[in-house]
Amino acid sequence: MDPRASLPPRRGTPVVTPFPGGVGISGVTVYDEETADGLCGGTPHMHLVCSEAYVVIGGAGSVQTLTTTGFAETPLHPGDVVWFTPGTIHRLVNAGGLRLVVLMANSGLPEAGDAVFTFPAPVLADPQAYQAAAALTGDHAVAARRRRDLALQGFLALREGGLREFHIAAQRLKSELLDDWEIRWRDGPLAAALTTGRQLERLKAGDLSHLGHGEVSRLERPEHPIFGMCGHLHPYPLPTRPLGGPSGSLHLPPPKELS
């Protein structure tokens, strides 16, 4: 598919417009169970190609981050907006009732596995061991705590060094998914940007046709949360069709490693 050929859907087509700019949106109630270091919160992890933003809507806490420039902790209070780029290992800490709206770049890529848990090095080196540690099998609440606690072990070790080795292991674990991610990026965020370019070209030429295709879409808050990386997650549905492509049903793909 050439995303440059994307056009606004014709009036009457039964589709739901993707969230603006190829962005994903979720609501998160951050975990409040205490971990080994005495703090409450989520599972440390890193995204390889997706930037992430937090809009704090309730409670208080912080986000701990680890990059090549070192460890940091950023406070989170209602009204705050915090974002970070790929390569930022992050861990949400809940100081009481922390709730967020999370915006993710490259909608669909996080659900397709763009995240790597900070498991200890021996687990990262063994793809089968990694998949077993990352999976939510059996009682999901128990499995989510087990996964978080194991990732915390690795995170605390990474604060002492070894970040470059973690990056190498992360790329190795996800290498087989990169072609799929590229397709999702072309059909989503890139298509959205190129559609804007086509609209600008038309406006310069005096062609106002796309203005006749204005529409409003609404997504209801998902009723049942799932166990995400950072907390109880309410992921809003993702359209299964490319922007401007054939109409299709709207549903949430099976979650793999959601924030």
Side-chain angles (χ1 to χ4, degrees), residues 79-149:
D80 288 347
V81 177
V82 175
W83 67 92
F84 41 86
T85 57
T88 304
I89 296 174
H90 49 287
R91 174 203 186 191
L92 277 169
V93 175
N94 188 352
L98 184 59
R99 294 185 297 116
L100 313 169
V101 171
V102 178
L103 303 176
M104 294 291 306
N106 304 312
S107 178
L109 263 65
E111 294 78 9
D114 176 33
V116 178
F117 295 103
T118 56
F119 294 146
V123 179
L124 293 170
D126 183 341
Q128 290 185 337
Y130 179 89
Q131 291 300 329
L136 294 181
T137 56
D139 186 321
H140 284 197
V142 172
R145 288 194 295 271
R146 181 196 67 237
R147 182 174 69 179
R148 180 198 59 188
D149 293 345

Side-chain angles (χ1 to χ4, degrees), residues 41-104:
T43 309
H45 63 281
M46 181 188 77
H47 299 288
L48 278 73
V49 294
C50 293
S51 296
E52 184 170 6
Y54 295 150
V55 182
V56 185
I57 59 174
S62 63
V63 56
Q64 295 183 343
T65 55
L66 182 63
T67 66
T68 54
T69 61
F71 173 80
E73 188 158 10
T74 303
L76 299 175
H77 300 287
D80 288 347
V81 177
V82 175
W83 67 92
F84 41 86
T85 57
T88 304
I89 296 174
H90 49 287
R91 174 203 186 191
L92 277 169
V93 175
N94 188 352
L98 184 59
R99 294 185 297 116
L100 313 169
V101 171
V102 178
L103 303 176
M104 294 291 306

Side-chain angles (χ1 to χ4, degrees), residues 173-204:
L173 282 167
K174 301 297 179 175
S175 60
E176 294 183 357
L177 300 178
L178 297 181
D179 288 341
D180 174 68
W181 292 359
E182 185 173 10
I183 292 171
R184 291 171 184 267
W185 164 72
R186 289 183 184 278
D187 288 350
L190 180 59
L194 292 174
T195 295
T196 298
R198 292 287 298 273
Q199 292 169 347
L200 288 170
E201 291 175 1
R202 291 171 183 154
L203 288 173
K204 289 180 182 179

Side-chain angles (χ1 to χ4, degrees), residues 221-237:
R221 184 174 186 263
E223 182 178 356
H224 301 293
I226 62 177
F227 287 91
M229 295 183 186
C230 299
H232 298 285
L233 187 68
H234 292 267
Y236 286 81

